[in-house]
Every structure is written in structure tokens, then in C-alpha cells.
Amino acid sequence: DDHQKIEELHKRRNFLASYCKLIIYNIISTKYAADIFKHYVTFYNDYGDIIKSTLGKARENNKTNCAKTMVQSLINKFTELQSLGDIDRNGDEFHSVKELAKRFALSFGLDAVKNREAVTTLHREGILVA
């Protein structure tokens, strides 16, 4: 039973890694990574390394597109939360959205000048949604 679960997890990790490679090598648009990035916190233990690596490579390829994708994944996650009904701002679901935003923010690093355009794009996209 445990062997089968490990085998299934390995298979899913390979599928995810293959899909992420398509994004990293610009075979498909970075915007399709939004549905992956939104699960970064939720499935961190099983797939966090793959998602983190994809996030880093996507940022290397194009910081502005990566920032837009980050915002889109936050929007998707928040929209899913809204569809469940009233949002409990102290609940675990809302906390996971905040944690995701925090991890995205930390992924830009400390050099504000180097990331100015990407962070500006991220904020602009967020403001347009709000």
C-alpha cells in the first residue's frame, strides 16, 4: 500500500516536472503556470521543490511576465475562496492565500532596484483587480 502511494507520488511529480519544463523552455506561455503556482503552499511538501524551481526559472526568463503570473495565481486562489461563501479572514484558507503572497514577495529578493519593474507590474495588476 505504501509502495503504491510512493509510486503514484513519483508519477505525479514526473508529470508536474514535465509540464513545468514546457513553461521554463518557453514552449507554452508563463501564464499557464498560474494554476501551478497557486498550489505552492498547499502542496509544498510533495511538490514545493518543483514549483519553487519553476518560479525561479520563470523569473529568470521574464520578470514582468512572472509577476503577472504570480498575481493571476493569487487572484485564482482568492476567487476559489470567494466561491466557497463568506471569507473568514482568520481561517486557514485565507491564511494560505496570505502565505502564498508572502512567499511570492520573498522570491523577489532584497534588491529593490533590480526588481523594480516586476514589482511595479505586480502591484499594478493587483490594483486593477481590486
Side-chain angles (χ1 to χ4, degrees):
D1 188 43
D2 284 345
H3 180 70
Q4 188 176 3
K5 286 182 181 178
I6 293 170
E7 195 72 31
E8 284 295 316
L9 177 62
H10 184 67
K11 195 170 160 183
R12 287 192 304 267
R13 283 179 56 83
N14 280 337
F15 284 137
L16 179 62
S18 298
Y19 185 76
C20 289
K21 283 180 185 177
L22 294 174
I23 294 164
I24 290 169
Y25 294 116
N26 292 318
I27 306 300
I28 59 176
S29 176
T30 308
K31 68 181 179 182
Y32 295 110
D35 286 326
I36 295 170
F37 293 166
K38 75 179 181 183
H39 296 295
Y40 182 42
V41 173
T42 311
F43 296 108
Y44 185 78
N45 291 335
D46 292 337
Y47 309 107
D49 57 327
I50 298 170
I51 297 172
K52 183 177 181 179
S53 174
T54 304
L55 189 60
K57 293 288 186 182
R59 193 177 326 97
E60 282 178 26
N61 289 343
N62 189 326
K63 288 180 184 174
T64 305
N65 279 345
C66 185
K68 287 181 180 181
T69 304
M70 287 177 179
V71 170
Q72 190 58 51
S73 64
L74 287 168
I75 292 166
N76 291 350
K77 187 90 169 160
F78 187 74
T79 305
E80 285 177 11
L81 188 59
Q82 277 183 321
S83 69
L84 298 174
D86 287 340
I87 297 173
D88 177 18
R89 297 199 183 273
N90 295 321
D92 288 339
E93 295 88 6
F94 188 73
H95 179 71
S96 73
V97 175
K98 287 181 8 183
E99 182 66 26
L100 183 61
K102 181 176 150 187
R103 297 245 179 124
F104 285 165
L106 292 173
S107 74
F108 281 107
L110 300 174
D111 191 358
V113 175
K114 191 170 74 173
N115 298 309
R116 179 176 291 156
E117 186 179 340
V119 172
T120 303
T121 301
L122 187 138
H123 283 124
R124 185 177 294 125
E125 295 288 322
I127 289 167
L128 289 174
V129 170

